[in-house]
Amino acid sequence: NLTMAQFGVDLIRKHQGNPQNFLTHCNAGALATGGFGTALGVIRAAYIDGLVERVYADETRPWLQGSRLTAWELSQDNVPVTLIADSAAAHLMKERGVSWVIVGADRIAANGDVINKIGTYQLAVNAMHHGVRFMVVAPSSTIDMASETGDEVELEERPGSELLEVGGRRVGAQVEVFNPVFDVTPADLVDAIVTEKGVIERPDAEKMALLMSRRRLH
């Protein structure tokens, strides 16, 4: 976690050394990783280095990991954090000058496609449109070289009750529900993948294979 955090901060500083705004999704902090955090570890380290003006955390529907976990972790560290609805992300990028979207990953395919919490893909699309850089932070154990692309990974879907109910009380209409848990962000929307082995900018299959062939930290 600490190695990834330093790599991530070095990458942020490479592009801009002033305090800036970040956006993150779901939870990739100490609660999820048992350490300093992956995506949130980079943000924590950036805050320590004086590179953070404000962190925006998506609420991350329907489980609300952003509002329940990420916002709590950041507030405990006194990092300036603002919670937003998932649907406010594009407007935020347009109006608030976000420099980086920084997320974790549940799996990364051999070509650099990223499988992560649902909503990550739309953040990457919005980030590219608004000129916001998109960073994925994950250990090399997350990289699945047996899956050539993200389309080969089966994505979990969960019960519709998660969207139709709040706190066990039904609030939605009696309709069919599509509730995928993960989505696939194509590699061409990713500016950088940060691992403990090193950093890949503009990932592709060749760069991913080279990274995974390394036996030592770089």
Side-chain angles (χ1 to χ4, degrees), residues 38-211:
T38 55
L40 219 56
V42 170
I43 291 172
R44 279 193 168 102
Y47 175 70
I48 292 170
D49 280 10
L51 295 174
V52 172
E53 181 172 334
R54 181 156 295 275
V55 179
Y56 293 91
D58 279 346
E59 59 179 350
T60 319
R61 287 275 299 152
W63 293 354
L64 303 174
Q65 296 100 319
S67 60
R68 293 188 299 111
L69 306 179
T70 298
W72 181 83
E73 282 197 50
L74 292 171
S75 66
Q76 293 298 297
D77 285 345
N78 296 314
V79 178
V81 58
T82 296
L83 182 66
I84 66 167
D86 293 358
S87 54
H91 181 69
L92 173 78
M93 293 178 195
K94 178 183 176 183
E95 298 293 330
R96 295 290 179 94
V98 174
S99 297
W100 287 90
V101 175
I102 305 178
V103 299
D106 287 87
R107 195 183 304 187
I108 301 174
N111 71 334
D113 288 351
V114 174
I115 296 87
N116 195 47
K117 175 68 179 181
I118 190 71
T120 304
Y121 180 23
Q122 65 188 14
L123 287 181
V125 172
N126 285 324
M128 177 163 282
H129 177 77
H130 291 94
V132 176
R133 294 184 179 90
F134 193 90
M135 182 194 303
V136 177
V137 188
S140 60
S141 57
T142 303
I143 299 172
D144 177 12
M145 296 302 289
S147 298
E148 291 188 12
T149 72
D151 292 335
E152 296 182 7
V153 178
E154 184 177 355
L155 303 179
E156 179 187 0
E157 294 183 26
R158 288 185 57 84
S161 59
E162 293 180 348
L163 298 184
L164 296 174
E165 298 176 1
V166 175
R169 180 177 180 181
R170 190 177 184 90
V171 296
Q174 188 67 42
V175 295
E176 183 178 326
V177 173
F178 176 50
N179 184 25
V181 181
F182 305 101
D183 57 27
V184 179
T185 299
D188 61 6
L189 295 179
V190 176
D191 287 285
I193 294 176
V194 176
T195 76
E196 84 286 356
K197 287 177 174 282
V199 177
I200 300 175
E201 295 192 57
R202 308 306 307 171
D204 58 27
E206 182 178 353
K207 293 177 183 177
M208 295 294 294
L210 179 61
L211 176 81

